[in-house]
Amino acid sequence: MAATGRRQRLRRPACWALMAVLLADLLALSDTLAVMSVDLGSESMKVAIVKPGVPMEIVLNKESRRKTPVMVTLKENERFFGDSAAGMAIKNPKATLRYFQHLLGKQADNPHVALYRARFPEHELSFDPQRQTVHFQISPQLQFSPEEVLGMILNYSRSLAEDFAEQPIKDAVITVPAFFNQAERRAVLQAARMAGLKVLQLINDNTATALSYGVFRRKDINTTAQNIMFYDMGSGSTVCTIVTYQTVKTKEAGMQPQLQIRGVGFDRTLGGLEMELRLREHLAGLFNEQRKGQRAKDVRENPRAMAKLLREANRLKTVLSANADHMAQIEGLMDDVDFKAKVTRVEFEELCADLFERVPGPVQQALQSAEMSLDEIEQVILVGGATRVPKVQEVLLKAVGKEELGKNINADEAAAMGAVYQAAALSKAFKVKPFVVRDAVVYPILVEFTREVEEEPGVRSLKHNKRVLFSRMGPYPQRKVITFNRYSHDFNFHINYGDLGFLGPEDLRVFGSQNLTTVKLKGVGESFKKYPDYESKGIKAHFNLDESGVLSLDRVESVFETVVEDSPEEESTLTKLGNTISSLFGGGATPDAKENGTDSVQEEEESPAEGSKDEPGEQAELKEEAGAPREDASPPPPPAPEGDTGPEEAKAAEKEDGDRSEAPASCTASVTSLGF
């Protein structure tokens, strides 16, 4: 009995040890549940978190402030961020970097690079011959690319979130301007990778704002469509968005609220920063006028003095939004000389008169892209710090023709709160009420390819073709498949931006290259040799525009079909293969398609792009990749008569006894990245 008692006493510590290990594992698992969002503005950023017991909270920085300046001071052995860097901007303006997001994804000859040099001449921008971009030259031994600087800021934002949440955080949703193109979005993703963040989604800041507005007004959304316009003027840019709210029926959760982006207009350089630069220039002129005749240097040649003037201009702009005049004063501006001058709101409005004339521009762009009129807009809501300028509100109110402008949303924190709600929805650790988000493509994307055709007997020529992949204001995330029907050898095709006629000449120069990438396909000829007895169903290229608005070419494959006789005893291997392949191409629902919210659509031919008159039979088949099972009981169309091959040629087949089996052959896609 004694021996048995000893064995039982020995087991109890072992059980407790096992329970302690399991509890430690559970605690470790709970420590990784928090997610964060970063509303990355030009001047400042807002960070929000969600963790068990803390739903949607704005993170306070080390100074207990809810927003943090997007600044970093780089020295040989130390770095300063946020408010600390803002303080260092006066002492060491050359090493303090700000507004560097304007350089993301830009080549050295981009007009925005020249504009950045003009605005901040204290920064030395050197040419990077490998990437054809620029980097900040802090010292002969110290240089950083804009992506690296942004990576530092994102890493700092994560440290703020982790200190606030008291646990490690890796998952994040980051906001980006709606007008960011592929190169700029990939630059943000690259910076996030440097910071060790797992980006759940790059969400457009206008979409995040609209989501925040809808989440807190869920009960007001019904089956009747409500059109709301959000006018967001921040520090660096202005974006106007038209959003439609209504409830829709979903397969998973029944009737749920939905927001759909209907129209987007923007101005890349209209914002509070440009107003502050105008004020800074005005103050510099007043200071030089006061010292005229003293043989003093121009204050514009002193980086420290200009940094002081910019800080004072920022304060002055804020004060003049509530007062008719104010006294600007800086102690020891330059050469121990104090500066004091009175500035009125009228003077400020005269300095920025041409900027205020540009306020209605994004509104008109948004209405045109949405194909709507102002009468259909129920409310115009102000977002962004620069909308607090009275003249901006006055001009905007006149442009939209409403009785008043909506101010019933937190202009500073709405995007951060919407983004963190989306982060919680995407995270597997939280369960939130569904809210369907249908974002819109701002820049259309198309595929271009050239093939040899025989127009007359013995006369061959090259024909250029264009096929639209993702149309302007079309929804995303979305998957598309384009089929090249008449290639039996290796070939190339180009992925480019589509018609950008809605952009002005200056915006087109800022936009950069319209060629995204060139794809060189190899192995096409080998696939035809491998399946000589099979009927070719074309070369299928699978594209994906994901939740972040980033385009990718998932795979390219050559598909062949053959007739297999029915066997009552046992299903043949080829039939099994055919059933499997058919489920991949438009048959069954794929997990990725469900996750991306891709709707089931019928297979259809894409109409020829404007300006291209393709001969029948030379069109590349374009369809959306199915996200749900599709039933099609209609018989296949009869084959087109010889000599007049129609676009259905690749799909038309006579109905024969037996089953058709498809077999894919992989092709190697060599991607030459030009645009991103």
Side-chain angles (χ1 to χ4, degrees), residues 37-80:
S37 72
V38 184
D39 178 22
L40 198 61
S42 296
E43 183 180 50
S44 60
M45 66 178 177
K46 278 73 66 180
V47 183
I49 65 163
V50 170
K51 76 170 188 175
V54 182
M56 297 175 63
E57 180 72 19
I58 294 292
V59 170
L60 302 181
N61 61 16
K62 296 177 181 178
E63 288 76 20
S64 297
R65 296 179 181 174
R66 297 173 73 86
K67 65 179 181 179
T68 304
V70 181
M71 291 188 191
V72 54
T73 300
L74 302 172
K75 291 187 175 183
E76 293 293 341
N77 299 318
E78 55 184 346
R79 300 174 184 174
F80 299 92

Short mmCIF file of all heavy atoms in Angstrom, two decimals, residues 37-80:
data_model
loop_
_atom_site.label_atom_id
_atom_site.label_comp_id
_atom_site.label_asym_id
_atom_site.label_seq_id
_atom_site.Cartn_x
_atom_site.Cartn_y
_atom_site.Cartn_z
N SER A 37 -3.93 48.64 -36.53
CA SER A 37 -4.06 49.37 -37.79
C SER A 37 -3.20 50.62 -37.71
O SER A 37 -2.99 51.18 -36.62
CB SER A 37 -5.52 49.76 -38.06
OG SER A 37 -5.94 50.79 -37.19
N VAL A 38 -2.70 51.04 -38.86
CA VAL A 38 -1.89 52.25 -38.95
C VAL A 38 -2.50 53.14 -40.02
O VAL A 38 -2.51 52.78 -41.20
CB VAL A 38 -0.42 51.94 -39.29
CG1 VAL A 38 0.41 53.23 -39.28
CG2 VAL A 38 0.17 50.93 -38.32
N ASP A 39 -3.05 54.27 -39.59
CA ASP A 39 -3.53 55.27 -40.55
C ASP A 39 -2.36 56.17 -40.87
O ASP A 39 -2.03 57.10 -40.13
CB ASP A 39 -4.69 56.06 -39.96
CG ASP A 39 -5.18 57.13 -40.92
OD1 ASP A 39 -4.94 57.01 -42.13
OD2 ASP A 39 -5.82 58.11 -40.45
N LEU A 40 -1.72 55.90 -42.00
CA LEU A 40 -0.45 56.52 -42.34
C LEU A 40 -0.70 57.80 -43.15
O LEU A 40 -0.87 57.75 -44.37
CB LEU A 40 0.41 55.54 -43.14
CG LEU A 40 1.90 55.81 -43.24
CD1 LEU A 40 2.54 55.80 -41.86
CD2 LEU A 40 2.56 54.77 -44.12
N GLY A 41 -0.77 58.93 -42.47
CA GLY A 41 -0.95 60.21 -43.14
C GLY A 41 0.37 60.82 -43.57
O GLY A 41 1.44 60.32 -43.24
N SER A 42 0.30 61.92 -44.30
CA SER A 42 1.52 62.58 -44.75
C SER A 42 2.24 63.26 -43.59
O SER A 42 3.46 63.25 -43.51
CB SER A 42 1.19 63.63 -45.82
OG SER A 42 0.66 63.02 -46.97
N GLU A 43 1.47 63.87 -42.69
CA GLU A 43 2.05 64.63 -41.58
C GLU A 43 2.08 63.83 -40.29
O GLU A 43 3.04 63.92 -39.53
CB GLU A 43 1.25 65.91 -41.38
CG GLU A 43 1.80 66.82 -40.31
CD GLU A 43 0.97 68.08 -40.15
OE1 GLU A 43 -0.27 67.97 -40.02
OE2 GLU A 43 1.55 69.18 -40.16
N SER A 44 1.03 63.07 -40.02
CA SER A 44 0.96 62.32 -38.77
C SER A 44 0.28 60.99 -39.01
O SER A 44 -0.33 60.76 -40.05
CB SER A 44 0.18 63.12 -37.71
OG SER A 44 -1.14 63.38 -38.14
N MET A 45 0.40 60.11 -38.03
CA MET A 45 -0.22 58.79 -38.12
C MET A 45 -1.00 58.51 -36.85
O MET A 45 -0.69 59.02 -35.77
CB MET A 45 0.84 57.70 -38.34
CG MET A 45 1.79 57.50 -37.19
SD MET A 45 2.98 56.17 -37.51
CE MET A 45 3.99 56.24 -36.02
N LYS A 46 -2.05 57.72 -37.01
CA LYS A 46 -2.86 57.25 -35.89
C LYS A 46 -2.79 55.74 -35.86
O LYS A 46 -2.96 55.09 -36.89
CB LYS A 46 -4.31 57.71 -36.02
CG LYS A 46 -4.58 59.13 -35.55
CD LYS A 46 -4.03 60.20 -36.47
CE LYS A 46 -4.72 60.21 -37.80
NZ LYS A 46 -4.20 61.26 -38.71
N VAL A 47 -2.56 55.17 -34.69
CA VAL A 47 -2.44 53.73 -34.52
C VAL A 47 -3.59 53.27 -33.63
O VAL A 47 -3.89 53.90 -32.61
CB VAL A 47 -1.09 53.34 -33.89
CG1 VAL A 47 -0.96 51.83 -33.77
CG2 VAL A 47 0.07 53.92 -34.72
N ALA A 48 -4.23 52.18 -34.03
CA ALA A 48 -5.32 51.62 -33.23
C ALA A 48 -5.10 50.12 -33.06
O ALA A 48 -4.43 49.49 -33.89
CB ALA A 48 -6.68 51.88 -33.90
N ILE A 49 -5.64 49.57 -32.00
CA ILE A 49 -5.48 48.13 -31.72
C ILE A 49 -6.83 47.52 -31.35
O ILE A 49 -7.77 48.21 -30.95
CB ILE A 49 -4.48 47.85 -30.59
CG1 ILE A 49 -5.01 48.40 -29.26
CG2 ILE A 49 -3.10 48.39 -30.92
CD1 ILE A 49 -4.31 47.83 -28.05
N VAL A 50 -6.90 46.22 -31.53
CA VAL A 50 -7.99 45.40 -30.99
C VAL A 50 -7.34 44.21 -30.30
O VAL A 50 -6.49 43.53 -30.89
CB VAL A 50 -8.93 44.91 -32.11
CG1 VAL A 50 -9.90 43.88 -31.56
CG2 VAL A 50 -9.71 46.06 -32.71
N LYS A 51 -7.72 43.98 -29.05
CA LYS A 51 -7.25 42.80 -28.34
C LYS A 51 -8.38 42.35 -27.42
O LYS A 51 -9.33 43.11 -27.17
CB LYS A 51 -5.97 43.09 -27.56
CG LYS A 51 -6.17 43.88 -26.29
CD LYS A 51 -4.89 43.89 -25.45
CE LYS A 51 -5.11 44.53 -24.09
NZ LYS A 51 -3.91 44.44 -23.23
N PRO A 52 -8.34 41.13 -26.92
CA PRO A 52 -9.41 40.66 -26.04
C PRO A 52 -9.63 41.61 -24.87
O PRO A 52 -8.70 41.92 -24.13
CB PRO A 52 -8.90 39.29 -25.57
CG PRO A 52 -8.01 38.82 -26.67
CD PRO A 52 -7.36 40.07 -27.21
N GLY A 53 -10.84 42.12 -24.75
CA GLY A 53 -11.17 43.05 -23.69
C GLY A 53 -10.96 44.50 -24.05
O GLY A 53 -11.36 45.40 -23.30
N VAL A 54 -10.30 44.78 -25.19
CA VAL A 54 -10.06 46.16 -25.63
C VAL A 54 -10.53 46.28 -27.07
O VAL A 54 -9.76 46.07 -28.01
CB VAL A 54 -8.56 46.54 -25.52
CG1 VAL A 54 -8.35 47.98 -25.94
CG2 VAL A 54 -8.05 46.31 -24.11
N PRO A 55 -11.79 46.61 -27.30
CA PRO A 55 -12.29 46.71 -28.67
C PRO A 55 -12.01 48.08 -29.28
O PRO A 55 -12.45 49.11 -28.76
CB PRO A 55 -13.79 46.48 -28.50
CG PRO A 55 -14.10 46.97 -27.12
CD PRO A 55 -12.87 46.79 -26.30
N MET A 56 -11.28 48.13 -30.36
CA MET A 56 -11.08 49.32 -31.18
C MET A 56 -10.67 50.54 -30.34
O MET A 56 -11.46 51.44 -30.06
CB MET A 56 -12.35 49.63 -31.98
CG MET A 56 -12.72 48.54 -32.96
SD MET A 56 -14.27 48.83 -33.81
CE MET A 56 -13.91 50.33 -34.70
N GLU A 57 -9.41 50.57 -29.99
CA GLU A 57 -8.90 51.66 -29.16
C GLU A 57 -7.74 52.35 -29.87
O GLU A 57 -6.86 51.71 -30.43
CB GLU A 57 -8.42 51.10 -27.81
CG GLU A 57 -7.87 52.14 -26.86
CD GLU A 57 -8.96 53.05 -26.28
OE1 GLU A 57 -10.13 52.65 -26.32
OE2 GLU A 57 -8.63 54.14 -25.79
N ILE A 58 -7.74 53.70 -29.84
CA ILE A 58 -6.62 54.47 -30.40
C ILE A 58 -5.45 54.40 -29.42
O ILE A 58 -5.61 54.58 -28.21
CB ILE A 58 -7.02 55.94 -30.64
CG1 ILE A 58 -8.09 56.03 -31.73
CG2 ILE A 58 -5.82 56.78 -31.03
CD1 ILE A 58 -7.61 55.66 -33.11
N VAL A 59 -4.27 54.15 -29.96
CA VAL A 59 -3.07 53.99 -29.13
C VAL A 59 -2.52 55.37 -28.77
O VAL A 59 -2.41 56.26 -29.62
CB VAL A 59 -2.01 53.18 -29.89
CG1 VAL A 59 -0.67 53.20 -29.17
CG2 VAL A 59 -2.49 51.74 -30.08
N LEU A 60 -2.17 55.54 -27.51
CA LEU A 60 -1.50 56.76 -27.05
C LEU A 60 0.00 56.57 -27.19
O LEU A 60 0.54 55.52 -26.84
CB LEU A 60 -1.86 57.07 -25.60
CG LEU A 60 -3.36 57.25 -25.27
CD1 LEU A 60 -3.53 57.57 -23.80
CD2 LEU A 60 -3.97 58.33 -26.13
N ASN A 61 0.68 57.60 -27.68
CA ASN A 61 2.13 57.49 -27.81
C ASN A 61 2.80 57.81 -26.47
O ASN A 61 2.13 57.99 -25.45
CB ASN A 61 2.65 58.37 -28.94
CG ASN A 61 2.36 59.85 -28.72
OD1 ASN A 61 2.05 60.28 -27.61
ND2 ASN A 61 2.46 60.64 -29.78
N LYS A 62 4.11 57.92 -26.46
CA LYS A 62 4.85 58.12 -25.22
C LYS A 62 4.57 59.47 -24.59
O LYS A 62 4.81 59.67 -23.40
CB LYS A 62 6.35 57.96 -25.49
CG LYS A 62 6.73 56.55 -25.93
CD LYS A 62 8.20 56.43 -26.26
CE LYS A 62 8.54 55.00 -26.72
NZ LYS A 62 9.96 54.85 -27.09
N GLU A 63 4.08 60.41 -25.39
CA GLU A 63 3.70 61.73 -24.87
C GLU A 63 2.22 61.78 -24.54
O GLU A 63 1.67 62.87 -24.34
CB GLU A 63 4.06 62.82 -25.89
CG GLU A 63 5.54 63.09 -26.03
CD GLU A 63 6.25 62.01 -26.85
OE1 GLU A 63 5.55 61.29 -27.60
OE2 GLU A 63 7.48 61.89 -26.73
N SER A 64 1.54 60.60 -24.57
CA SER A 64 0.10 60.47 -24.28
C SER A 64 -0.75 61.23 -25.30
O SER A 64 -1.81 61.76 -24.97
CB SER A 64 -0.22 60.95 -22.86
OG SER A 64 0.44 60.14 -21.92
N ARG A 65 -0.30 61.30 -26.52
CA ARG A 65 -1.06 61.92 -27.59
C ARG A 65 -1.64 60.85 -28.50
O ARG A 65 -1.06 59.78 -28.67
CB ARG A 65 -0.19 62.89 -28.39
CG ARG A 65 0.32 64.07 -27.57
CD ARG A 65 1.20 64.98 -28.38
NE ARG A 65 1.69 66.10 -27.58
CZ ARG A 65 2.58 66.98 -28.00
NH1 ARG A 65 3.07 66.88 -29.24
NH2 ARG A 65 2.97 67.97 -27.22
N ARG A 66 -2.76 61.19 -29.13
CA ARG A 66 -3.48 60.21 -29.95
C ARG A 66 -2.96 60.16 -31.38
O ARG A 66 -3.30 59.23 -32.11
CB ARG A 66 -4.97 60.51 -29.93
CG ARG A 66 -5.57 60.38 -28.53
CD ARG A 66 -7.02 60.84 -28.49
NE ARG A 66 -7.92 59.91 -29.13
CZ ARG A 66 -8.47 58.87 -28.53
NH1 ARG A 66 -8.18 58.60 -27.27
NH2 ARG A 66 -9.33 58.08 -29.17
N LYS A 67 -2.20 61.14 -31.81
CA LYS A 67 -1.58 61.09 -33.13
C LYS A 67 -0.10 61.43 -33.02
O LYS A 67 0.30 62.21 -32.14
CB LYS A 67 -2.28 62.00 -34.13
CG LYS A 67 -2.22 63.48 -33.85
CD LYS A 67 -2.96 64.22 -34.96
CE LYS A 67 -2.91 65.74 -34.74
NZ LYS A 67 -3.61 66.47 -35.83
N THR A 68 0.68 60.83 -33.89
CA THR A 68 2.14 60.91 -33.81
C THR A 68 2.69 61.48 -35.11
O THR A 68 2.30 61.02 -36.19
CB THR A 68 2.74 59.52 -33.56
OG1 THR A 68 2.16 58.95 -32.38
CG2 THR A 68 4.24 59.59 -33.40
N PRO A 69 3.58 62.46 -35.05
CA PRO A 69 4.17 62.99 -36.30
C PRO A 69 4.93 61.90 -37.05
O PRO A 69 5.64 61.09 -36.44
CB PRO A 69 5.12 64.08 -35.79
CG PRO A 69 4.61 64.46 -34.45
CD PRO A 69 4.02 63.21 -33.86
N VAL A 70 4.77 61.88 -38.37
CA VAL A 70 5.51 60.93 -39.20
C VAL A 70 6.85 61.58 -39.53
O VAL A 70 7.04 62.17 -40.60
CB VAL A 70 4.72 60.57 -40.47
CG1 VAL A 70 5.49 59.56 -41.31
CG2 VAL A 70 3.36 60.00 -40.10
N MET A 71 7.76 61.49 -38.59
CA MET A 71 9.09 62.07 -38.73
C MET A 71 10.11 61.11 -38.13
O MET A 71 9.80 60.38 -37.19
CB MET A 71 9.20 63.42 -38.00
CG MET A 71 8.42 64.56 -38.58
SD MET A 71 8.84 66.10 -37.75
CE MET A 71 7.58 67.18 -38.38
N VAL A 72 11.30 61.17 -38.67
CA VAL A 72 12.40 60.39 -38.11
C VAL A 72 13.69 61.19 -38.28
O VAL A 72 13.95 61.76 -39.34
CB VAL A 72 12.52 59.01 -38.79
CG1 VAL A 72 12.62 59.13 -40.30
CG2 VAL A 72 13.70 58.23 -38.23
N THR A 73 14.46 61.27 -37.19
CA THR A 73 15.77 61.92 -37.23
C THR A 73 16.83 60.83 -37.20
O THR A 73 16.86 60.00 -36.28
CB THR A 73 15.95 62.86 -36.03
OG1 THR A 73 14.94 63.87 -36.07
CG2 THR A 73 17.32 63.53 -36.08
N LEU A 74 17.69 60.82 -38.20
CA LEU A 74 18.70 59.78 -38.35
C LEU A 74 20.08 60.35 -38.11
O LEU A 74 20.52 61.30 -38.76
CB LEU A 74 18.63 59.18 -39.77
CG LEU A 74 17.27 58.58 -40.16
CD1 LEU A 74 17.26 58.20 -41.63
CD2 LEU A 74 16.96 57.37 -39.30
N LYS A 75 20.76 59.77 -37.13
CA LYS A 75 22.15 60.11 -36.86
C LYS A 75 22.99 58.86 -37.02
O LYS A 75 22.49 57.78 -37.31
CB LYS A 75 22.29 60.70 -35.45
CG LYS A 75 21.64 62.07 -35.31
CD LYS A 75 21.96 62.67 -33.95
CE LYS A 75 21.44 64.08 -33.83
NZ LYS A 75 21.80 64.69 -32.53
N GLU A 76 24.28 58.99 -36.78
CA GLU A 76 25.18 57.85 -36.97
C GLU A 76 24.83 56.70 -36.04
O GLU A 76 24.82 55.54 -36.45
CB GLU A 76 26.63 58.29 -36.75
CG GLU A 76 27.15 59.27 -37.79
CD GLU A 76 27.28 58.63 -39.16
OE1 GLU A 76 27.32 57.39 -39.25
OE2 GLU A 76 27.35 59.38 -40.16
N ASN A 77 24.53 57.01 -34.79
CA ASN A 77 24.34 55.94 -33.80
C ASN A 77 22.98 55.97 -33.11
O ASN A 77 22.74 55.18 -32.20
CB ASN A 77 25.43 56.02 -32.72
CG ASN A 77 26.83 55.84 -33.31
OD1 ASN A 77 27.03 54.99 -34.18
ND2 ASN A 77 27.77 56.64 -32.86
N GLU A 78 22.08 56.84 -33.49
CA GLU A 78 20.79 56.91 -32.82
C GLU A 78 19.71 57.42 -33.76
O GLU A 78 20.00 58.06 -34.78
CB GLU A 78 20.88 57.80 -31.57
CG GLU A 78 21.42 59.19 -31.85
CD GLU A 78 21.59 60.00 -30.57
OE1 GLU A 78 21.06 59.57 -29.53
OE2 GLU A 78 22.27 61.04 -30.63
N ARG A 79 18.48 57.13 -33.39
CA ARG A 79 17.32 57.55 -34.17
C ARG A 79 16.27 58.12 -33.23
O ARG A 79 16.10 57.64 -32.11
CB ARG A 79 16.72 56.38 -34.96
CG ARG A 79 17.67 55.73 -35.94
CD ARG A 79 17.03 54.49 -36.56
NE ARG A 79 17.95 53.80 -37.45
CZ ARG A 79 17.69 52.63 -38.03
NH1 ARG A 79 16.53 52.03 -37.80
NH2 ARG A 79 18.57 52.06 -38.83
N PHE A 80 15.55 59.12 -33.73
CA PHE A 80 14.45 59.71 -32.98
C PHE A 80 13.20 59.66 -33.84
O PHE A 80 13.26 59.88 -35.05
CB PHE A 80 14.76 61.17 -32.61
CG PHE A 80 15.97 61.33 -31.74
CD1 PHE A 80 17.23 61.54 -32.30
CD2 PHE A 80 15.87 61.26 -30.36
CE1 PHE A 80 18.35 61.69 -31.51
CE2 PHE A 80 16.99 61.41 -29.55
CZ PHE A 80 18.23 61.62 -30.12
#
